[in-house]
Amino acid sequence: MAPLLEVKNLSTHFFTQDGLVKAVDNVSFYVEKGETLGIVGESGSGKSVTSMSIMRLIPNPPGKIASGEILFDGEDLLKYSEDEMRHIRGKEIAMVFQDPMTSLNPVLTIGRQLTETLELHMKLTGKEARNRAGELLALVGIPSPHKRLDDYPHQFSGGMRQRVMIAMGLSCNPQLLIADEPTTALDVTIQAQILELMKKLQDELGMAVIIITHDLGVVARMADRVNVMYAGRIIEDGPTNQIFHDPRMPYTIGLLQSIPRLDEARGQRLSPIRGLPPDLINLPQVCPFSPRCDYVQDACYQQVPPLRPVEPHQRAACLFDVHAPWVSGNGTSPQAQTAHQLPATERA
């Protein structure tokens, strides 16, 4: 059976005064019906641009989807007209945007912003749409939901605004929900409530979810599979448990080492990734992570490593067979390990 969403060789570029920015560079992945895919990486790695490309919301100019296919239910969304895409957005594919305060219109009531989508896609009357909007606010845990329909976004707390955004995303029972940093700027208590709510609603509605975040804790809790992005490319992917237990790309290892672990000795220092992500204008044809990598060797400065199988269902873009220090028999730090280069046949 074909996946619900299949992205093939997607490239999205931005034409700036300084040069061509390859924000997404030849990215391929898929999402099955009912599953949760996590997309992680530092700011500027291409996560949000990937999601905006799926929704066909890249501003042109300066941006452009340069190449690739975005197959949704077997149909290539890149061949759809703008009018056809309006019937897909919100109804079949919905998105929870990163910042609810700027995503919600400050001069329209919450009720109007909810009913607009319902009237457009579900063809409900004004009264029917308002009743459904109240049900949606109740579904996401807003107290006195029908009364709050007449309130404005500034009258809601950050956590409640995020719940409203989720209600808007779920209003037309989409097959796929894209959640871009759904817990940004929320305290840990509200964050846990939002994640629990999303998981509950996903189970009830049977929809697929793409959750985009830099928070690996969110991914560990929510995702079935993970795509790790760096410099506009996917540099590792696989089942969540497998990636967390035995990451095979030095960047993924660095991300995991930079967060606290419950099984670490008290007082253990974190190991942040040194340096900064690369400038995406005129990236050299070498491993983009090589200037920051603890495993770097001469071969890393000679080619861009392909995304290759390293375990069943797991791929990594590295020329070397590396393991995290917490994997049995691999020492106590990345610097203590010596990665061995794979034969050319395995790197191809």
Side-chain angles (χ1 to χ4, degrees), residues 152-230:
Y152 291 86
H154 72 270
Q155 295 174 279
F156 285 71
S157 68
M160 292 176 74
R161 284 194 294 268
Q162 194 65 280
R163 289 170 185 264
V164 170
M165 290 297 298
I166 293 172
M168 292 176 69
L170 299 176
S171 59
C172 299
N173 298 326
Q175 295 187 64
L176 173 64
L177 178 69
I178 302 174
D180 189 359
E181 302 279 7
T183 57
T184 296
L186 300 179
D187 63 62
V188 291
T189 305
I190 303 300
Q191 181 185 95
Q193 292 174 0
I194 294 294
L195 294 177
E196 203 63 44
L197 171 67
M198 288 182 61
K199 191 67 178 171
K200 174 175 174 287
L201 295 174
Q202 181 186 14
D203 293 340
E204 290 178 0
L205 301 174
M207 63 184 176
V209 174
I210 297 176
I211 187 161
I212 297 168
T213 182
H214 60 270
D215 189 334
L216 292 171
V218 171
V219 170
R221 182 171 183 172
M222 294 285 293
D224 301 306
R225 291 185 298 109
V226 184
N227 289 346
V228 183
M229 291 194 70
Y230 186 78

XYZ file of all heavy atoms in Angstrom, residues 152-230:
609
model
N -11.162 37.488 21.839
C -10.090 37.721 20.877
C -8.812 37.005 21.327
O -8.669 36.661 22.514
C -9.842 39.225 20.722
C -10.973 39.932 20.024
C -12.097 40.391 20.731
C -10.940 40.131 18.640
C -13.149 41.032 20.078
C -11.992 40.769 17.976
C -13.085 41.208 18.712
O -14.119 41.823 18.053
N -7.863 36.767 20.419
C -6.649 36.025 20.782
C -5.911 36.566 22.001
O -5.372 35.787 22.798
C -5.781 36.132 19.516
C -6.775 36.225 18.408
C -7.910 37.040 18.968
N -5.893 37.908 22.183
C -5.132 38.464 23.308
C -5.773 38.126 24.657
O -5.142 38.289 25.703
C -4.982 39.989 23.153
C -6.253 40.749 23.386
N -7.139 41.029 22.373
C -6.802 41.281 24.516
C -8.171 41.700 22.850
N -7.992 41.868 24.151
N -7.007 37.645 24.644
C -7.682 37.273 25.884
C -7.405 35.833 26.287
O -7.918 35.372 27.300
C -9.198 37.506 25.729
C -9.573 38.975 25.546
C -11.040 39.159 25.243
O -11.494 39.009 24.109
N -11.804 39.471 26.278
N -6.598 35.130 25.498
C -6.230 33.748 25.784
C -4.757 33.686 26.208
O -3.940 34.470 25.727
C -6.415 32.869 24.546
C -7.847 32.535 24.226
C -8.718 33.506 23.747
C -8.336 31.246 24.387
C -10.030 33.209 23.444
C -9.645 30.931 24.092
C -10.502 31.911 23.625
N -4.438 32.754 27.074
C -3.038 32.535 27.452
C -2.307 31.835 26.304
O -2.930 31.378 25.339
C -2.957 31.675 28.713
O -3.399 30.351 28.428
N -0.990 31.723 26.424
C -0.201 31.080 25.377
C -0.622 29.641 25.134
O -0.766 29.201 23.988
N -0.828 28.896 26.219
C -1.243 27.507 26.083
C -2.625 27.369 25.461
O -2.866 26.476 24.639
N -3.537 28.291 25.820
C -4.885 28.239 25.259
C -4.882 28.631 23.783
O -5.644 28.074 22.979
C -5.817 29.140 26.069
C -6.073 28.634 27.478
S -7.069 29.761 28.470
C -8.690 29.522 27.746
N -4.027 29.590 23.408
C -3.916 29.944 21.988
C -3.408 28.746 21.181
O -3.853 28.505 20.054
C -2.987 31.152 21.802
C -3.616 32.474 22.179
C -2.806 33.647 21.656
N -1.501 33.742 22.290
C -1.243 34.469 23.372
N -2.209 35.163 23.948
N -0.027 34.515 23.873
N -2.464 28.009 21.773
C -1.965 26.833 21.073
C -3.066 25.787 20.920
O -3.171 25.111 19.883
C -0.767 26.246 21.837
C 0.045 25.235 21.052
C 0.727 25.841 19.844
O 0.103 26.043 18.808
N 2.008 26.137 19.953
N -3.909 25.657 21.923
C -5.045 24.739 21.830
C -6.020 25.185 20.738
O -6.584 24.357 20.019
C -5.762 24.650 23.179
C -4.982 23.906 24.251
C -5.626 24.065 25.630
N -4.815 23.451 26.653
C -5.009 22.211 27.129
N -6.002 21.477 26.664
N -4.225 21.715 28.063
N -6.220 26.501 20.617
C -7.086 27.019 19.560
C -6.508 26.671 18.186
O -7.239 26.270 17.264
C -7.264 28.548 19.697
C -7.956 29.127 18.457
C -8.065 28.877 20.948
N -5.179 26.810 18.033
C -4.541 26.474 16.764
C -4.738 25.003 16.433
O -4.974 24.634 15.277
C -3.042 26.806 16.812
C -2.730 28.293 16.822
S -3.278 29.136 15.330
C -2.315 28.304 14.089
N -4.652 24.141 17.446
C -4.874 22.710 17.226
C -6.329 22.469 16.837
O -6.630 21.669 15.939
C -4.491 21.903 18.477
C -2.967 21.983 18.705
C -4.929 20.443 18.359
C -2.503 21.388 20.012
N -7.257 23.168 17.505
C -8.675 23.046 17.161
C -8.913 23.448 15.709
O -9.675 22.791 14.972
C -9.520 23.907 18.097
N -8.262 24.527 15.258
C -8.391 24.961 13.867
C -7.841 23.905 12.918
O -8.422 23.622 11.863
C -7.676 26.292 13.658
C -8.332 27.467 14.373
S -7.405 29.013 14.203
C -7.638 29.355 12.463
N -6.719 23.310 13.297
C -6.127 22.272 12.459
C -7.003 21.037 12.333
O -7.038 20.379 11.293
N -7.721 20.710 13.411
C -8.542 19.501 13.435
C -9.958 19.731 12.947
O -10.742 18.781 12.842
C -8.600 18.954 14.863
C -7.277 18.534 15.494
C -7.500 18.104 16.936
C -6.646 17.393 14.700
N -10.306 20.969 12.642
C -11.711 21.323 12.392
C -12.345 20.533 11.254
O -13.542 20.240 11.287
C -11.830 22.830 12.127
O -11.042 23.205 11.006
N -11.588 20.181 10.233
C -12.143 19.473 9.076
C -11.717 18.001 9.023
O -11.788 17.373 7.955
C -11.747 20.184 7.789
S -12.355 21.874 7.677
N -11.263 17.462 10.168
C -10.832 16.056 10.254
C -9.817 15.705 9.161
O -10.068 14.834 8.313
C -12.031 15.113 10.164
C -13.009 15.317 11.301
O -12.615 15.624 12.412
N -14.293 15.140 11.015
N -8.650 16.375 9.142
C -7.672 16.138 8.078
C -7.058 14.744 8.174
O -7.033 14.122 9.240
C -6.620 17.213 8.341
C -6.685 17.438 9.821
C -8.135 17.309 10.167
N -6.542 14.276 7.045
C -5.811 13.006 7.040
C -4.399 13.187 7.590
O -3.810 12.252 8.114
C -5.736 12.454 5.618
C -7.071 12.074 5.011
C -6.881 11.381 3.678
O -6.309 10.294 3.595
N -7.330 12.031 2.610
N -3.845 14.404 7.427
C -2.476 14.677 7.869
C -2.432 16.017 8.589
O -2.938 17.020 8.080
C -1.530 14.715 6.655
C -0.083 15.148 6.915
C 0.632 14.143 7.825
C 0.684 15.294 5.598
N -1.843 16.018 9.783
C -1.641 17.255 10.545
C -0.149 17.519 10.658
O 0.616 16.654 11.100
C -2.247 17.122 11.950
C -2.052 18.337 12.882
C -2.885 19.515 12.389
C -2.436 17.984 14.314
N 0.279 18.711 10.236
C 1.678 19.124 10.372
C 1.754 20.095 11.543
O 1.141 21.161 11.499
C 2.191 19.780 9.080
C 2.066 18.824 7.894
C 3.645 20.217 9.251
C 2.425 19.446 6.554
N 2.486 19.732 12.570
C 2.623 20.569 13.763
C 4.043 21.118 13.807
O 4.998 20.380 14.078
C 2.318 19.766 15.022
N 4.187 22.408 13.523
C 5.503 23.054 13.477
C 5.795 23.691 14.829
O 5.214 24.720 15.179
C 5.514 24.104 12.364
C 6.912 24.669 12.112
O 7.854 24.252 12.812
O 7.058 25.529 11.234
N 6.699 23.089 15.594
C 7.069 23.568 16.933
C 5.815 23.831 17.783
O 5.600 24.962 18.251
C 7.915 24.850 16.832
C 9.194 24.701 16.034
C 10.330 24.062 16.840
O 10.067 23.625 17.980
O 11.445 23.994 16.323
N 4.969 22.829 17.995
C 3.684 23.085 18.673
C 3.816 23.452 20.139
O 2.846 23.914 20.739
C 2.945 21.753 18.509
C 4.030 20.728 18.412
C 5.143 21.416 17.662
N 4.986 23.249 20.743
C 5.142 23.548 22.173
C 6.158 24.654 22.432
O 6.622 24.821 23.560
C 5.564 22.276 22.939
O 6.779 21.768 22.377
C 4.492 21.208 22.848
N 6.506 25.425 21.402
C 7.461 26.523 21.576
C 6.950 27.542 22.596
O 5.790 27.932 22.572
C 7.702 27.223 20.229
O 8.314 26.292 19.343
C 8.622 28.416 20.380
N 7.821 27.975 23.499
C 7.548 29.044 24.466
C 6.491 28.659 25.505
O 5.991 29.529 26.215
C 7.130 30.333 23.755
N 6.168 27.380 25.599
C 5.229 26.942 26.630
C 6.005 26.332 27.788
O 7.037 25.687 27.592
C 4.258 25.905 26.057
C 3.378 26.343 24.881
C 2.498 25.187 24.435
C 2.528 27.550 25.247
N 5.501 26.518 29.022
C 6.182 25.884 30.155
C 5.947 24.381 30.106
O 5.069 23.881 29.384
C 5.701 26.483 31.484
C 4.231 26.254 31.742
O 3.825 25.083 31.845
O 3.485 27.246 31.850
N 6.726 23.635 30.873
C 6.739 22.181 30.725
C 5.393 21.545 31.060
O 5.013 20.527 30.478
C 7.853 21.551 31.599
C 9.220 21.903 31.043
C 7.737 21.980 33.047
N 4.644 22.145 31.988
C 3.336 21.587 32.345
C 2.369 21.702 31.171
O 1.695 20.727 30.795
C 2.754 22.317 33.572
O 3.681 22.253 34.637
C 1.450 21.677 34.012
N 2.293 22.901 30.583
C 1.409 23.109 29.437
C 1.892 22.291 28.244
O 1.093 21.731 27.484
C 1.331 24.607 29.071
C 0.851 25.428 30.271
C 0.413 24.825 27.889
C -0.520 25.028 30.782
N 3.208 22.205 28.074
C 3.769 21.411 26.985
C 3.297 19.964 27.077
O 2.860 19.373 26.081
C 5.298 21.461 27.033
C 5.976 20.689 25.922
C 7.487 20.665 26.079
O 8.054 19.731 26.633
N 8.142 21.700 25.571
N 3.354 19.400 28.267
C 2.913 18.017 28.458
C 1.435 17.865 28.135
O 1.016 16.879 27.516
C 3.191 17.576 29.894
N 0.624 18.851 28.526
C -0.811 18.799 28.248
C -1.082 18.854 26.744
O -1.935 18.114 26.232
C -1.517 19.956 28.952
C -1.528 19.850 30.470
C -2.117 21.091 31.120
O -2.529 22.040 30.442
N -2.167 21.097 32.446
N -0.367 19.720 26.039
C -0.555 19.859 24.589
C -0.173 18.561 23.875
O -0.889 18.076 22.975
C 0.267 21.041 24.042
C -0.247 22.375 24.591
C 0.268 21.054 22.515
C -1.639 22.755 24.139
N 0.947 17.968 24.266
C 1.390 16.729 23.631
C 0.418 15.589 23.909
O 0.109 14.789 23.016
C 2.792 16.360 24.121
C 3.920 17.309 23.711
C 5.236 16.865 24.320
C 4.036 17.388 22.194
N -0.059 15.528 25.156
C -1.034 14.494 25.513
C -2.320 14.671 24.711
O -2.925 13.701 24.247
C -1.329 14.570 27.023
C -1.872 13.285 27.637
C -0.892 12.131 27.542
O 0.303 12.323 27.803
O -1.352 11.022 27.185
N -2.727 15.924 24.543
C -3.927 16.226 23.775
C -3.764 15.797 22.317
O -4.660 15.165 21.730
C -4.213 17.731 23.846
C -5.309 18.263 22.926
C -6.662 17.714 23.348
C -5.329 19.790 22.953
N -2.620 16.130 21.703
C -2.390 15.764 20.310
C -2.395 14.255 20.123
O -2.966 13.742 19.154
C -1.061 16.358 19.829
C -1.082 17.858 19.631
S 0.484 18.490 18.998
C 0.617 17.628 17.444
N -1.778 13.534 21.052
C -1.731 12.075 20.963
C -3.126 11.488 21.095
O -3.514 10.569 20.347
C -0.812 11.529 22.062
C -0.463 10.058 21.906
C 0.399 9.839 20.670
C 0.802 8.377 20.534
N 1.462 8.104 19.231
N -3.902 12.018 22.010
C -5.273 11.538 22.230
C -6.136 11.764 20.990
O -6.861 10.865 20.539
C -5.877 12.250 23.443
C -7.346 11.958 23.721
C -7.775 12.636 25.008
C -9.270 12.488 25.253
N -10.074 13.344 24.354
N -6.044 12.969 20.418
C -6.846 13.290 19.248
C -6.400 12.489 18.028
O -7.228 12.081 17.204
C -6.760 14.789 18.957
C -7.373 15.703 20.025
C -7.092 17.158 19.705
C -8.873 15.467 20.138
N -5.109 12.243 17.923
C -4.623 11.419 16.814
C -5.185 10.010 16.897
O -5.627 9.436 15.894
C -3.090 11.372 16.824
C -2.520 10.541 15.675
C -1.020 10.380 15.754
O -0.410 10.666 16.778
N -0.413 9.920 14.682
N -5.182 9.437 18.096
C -5.724 8.086 18.270
C -7.216 8.042 17.962
O -7.716 7.078 17.362
C -5.465 7.602 19.701
C -3.990 7.382 19.991
O -3.229 7.239 19.022
O -3.598 7.380 21.174
N -7.929 9.094 18.351
C -9.375 9.127 18.131
C -9.729 9.318 16.654
O -10.667 8.710 16.145
C -10.011 10.252 18.954
C -10.020 9.996 20.461
C -10.613 11.156 21.231
O -11.017 12.158 20.600
O -10.676 11.067 22.474
N -8.949 10.161 15.962
C -9.289 10.527 14.586
C -8.548 9.698 13.547
O -8.896 9.725 12.362
C -9.001 12.018 14.357
C -9.751 12.988 15.282
C -9.278 14.414 15.049
C -11.252 12.891 15.074
N -7.493 8.978 13.967
C -6.745 8.128 13.048
C -5.928 8.869 12.021
O -5.623 8.327 10.952
N -5.549 10.104 12.309
C -4.799 10.895 11.321
C -3.295 10.668 11.486
O -2.811 10.215 12.531
C -5.109 12.383 11.494
C -4.684 12.947 12.812
S -5.173 14.672 13.007
C -4.637 14.963 14.692
N -2.569 10.982 10.429
C -1.107 10.986 10.478
C -0.634 12.353 10.963
O -1.317 13.363 10.757
C -0.527 10.675 9.109
N 0.541 12.380 11.601
C 1.080 13.631 12.151
C 2.549 13.760 11.769
O 3.315 12.795 11.865
C 0.932 13.683 13.685
C 1.637 14.916 14.256
C -0.535 13.684 14.097
N 2.933 14.945 11.304
C 4.350 15.311 11.192
C 4.600 16.342 12.274
O 3.983 17.415 12.272
C 4.693 15.907 9.818
C 4.469 14.882 8.707
C 6.149 16.389 9.791
C 4.708 15.440 7.307
N 5.489 16.035 13.207
C 5.800 16.981 14.279
C 7.217 17.493 14.075
O 8.176 16.717 13.998
C 5.604 16.337 15.672
C 5.775 17.378 16.769
C 6.490 15.126 15.894
C 5.184 16.978 18.100
N 7.324 18.812 13.919
C 8.606 19.460 13.636
C 9.071 20.156 14.907
O 8.337 20.962 15.483
C 8.442 20.480 12.492
C 8.014 19.750 11.217
C 9.715 21.278 12.269
C 7.552 20.668 10.120
N 10.280 19.849 15.344
C 10.740 20.386 16.619
C 12.262 20.298 16.719
O 12.905 19.555 15.969
C 10.092 19.612 17.795
O 10.510 20.167 19.027
C 10.458 18.137 17.756
N 12.828 21.093 17.634
C 14.232 20.926 17.991
C 14.348 20.200 19.333
O 15.447 19.948 19.812
C 14.932 22.292 18.085
C 14.321 23.184 19.120
N 13.298 24.061 18.837
C 14.563 23.310 20.442
C 12.940 24.687 19.946
N 13.692 24.259 20.928
N 13.196 19.869 19.935
C 13.150 19.255 21.259
C 13.096 17.737 21.109
O 12.073 17.156 20.734
C 11.914 19.763 22.011
C 11.901 19.339 23.475
O 12.520 18.310 23.809
O 11.262 20.032 24.292
N 14.209 17.067 21.401
C 14.269 15.623 21.234
C 13.374 14.892 22.236
O 12.952 13.766 21.979
C 15.718 15.147 21.378
C 16.644 15.594 20.252
C 18.095 15.265 20.585
C 16.252 14.946 18.939
N 13.064 15.532 23.368
C 12.147 14.937 24.319
C 10.753 14.792 23.735
O 10.059 13.794 23.968
N 10.326 15.792 22.970
C 9.027 15.738 22.300
C 9.006 14.596 21.294
O 8.038 13.832 21.196
C 8.725 17.083 21.604
C 7.494 16.975 20.717
C 8.542 18.186 22.637
N 10.094 14.453 20.543
C 10.188 13.394 19.542
C 10.128 12.021 20.202
O 9.423 11.111 19.746
C 11.487 13.543 18.723
C 11.721 12.327 17.846
C 11.420 14.792 17.871
N 10.867 11.852 21.302
C 10.893 10.567 21.993
C 9.503 10.168 22.468
O 9.150 8.984 22.480
C 11.859 10.633 23.179
N 8.727 11.144 22.841
C 7.386 10.874 23.368
C 6.351 10.645 22.284
O 5.426 9.842 22.450
C 6.956 12.051 24.244
C 5.590 11.872 24.903
C 5.355 12.961 25.906
N 4.092 12.786 26.596
C 3.698 13.517 27.631
N 4.492 14.468 28.098
N 2.540 13.306 28.204
N 6.487 11.334 21.147
C 5.416 11.371 20.155
C 5.666 10.527 18.906
O 4.728 9.962 18.339
C 5.179 12.822 19.717
C 4.637 13.743 20.785
S 2.903 13.472 21.123
C 2.144 14.008 19.585
N 6.906 10.472 18.438
C 7.158 10.007 17.072
C 7.389 8.499 16.981
O 8.016 7.894 17.851
C 8.351 10.750 16.486
N 6.900 7.922 15.874
C 7.206 6.525 15.543
C 8.533 6.439 14.803
O 9.313 5.514 15.023
C 6.097 5.935 14.661
C 4.740 5.985 15.330
O 4.625 5.474 16.459
O 3.798 6.547 14.739
N 8.777 7.403 13.919
C 10.032 7.474 13.179
C 10.565 8.895 13.226
O 9.812 9.833 13.501
C 9.836 7.059 11.714
C 9.521 5.591 11.506
C 9.469 5.210 10.036
N 8.424 5.925 9.317
C 8.650 6.885 8.432
N 9.904 7.262 8.155
N 7.655 7.501 7.820
N 11.873 9.041 12.933
C 12.533 10.347 13.020
C 13.327 10.622 11.752
O 14.025 9.736 11.236
C 13.497 10.410 14.229
C 14.090 11.811 14.353
C 12.810 10.021 15.511
N 13.210 11.850 11.243
C 14.136 12.377 10.231
C 14.978 13.454 10.890
O 14.424 14.410 11.450
C 13.375 13.000 9.050
C 12.682 11.968 8.180
O 12.957 10.779 8.287
N 11.794 12.425 7.328
N 16.287 13.324 10.830
C 17.192 14.347 11.362
C 17.691 15.179 10.181
O 18.242 14.633 9.222
C 18.385 13.711 12.110
C 19.273 14.805 12.706
C 17.896 12.774 13.207
N 17.488 16.512 10.248
C 17.882 17.385 9.149
C 19.061 18.267 9.544
O 19.185 18.695 10.690
C 16.708 18.267 8.710
C 15.584 17.504 8.033
S 14.398 18.584 7.169
C 15.387 19.161 5.779
N 19.916 18.532 8.561
C 21.062 19.430 8.758
C 21.398 20.043 7.406
O 21.515 19.326 6.403
C 22.259 18.663 9.312
C 23.431 19.548 9.683
C 23.412 20.276 10.874
C 24.538 19.681 8.857
C 24.471 21.104 11.222
C 25.597 20.506 9.208
C 25.556 21.211 10.383
O 26.605 22.038 10.740
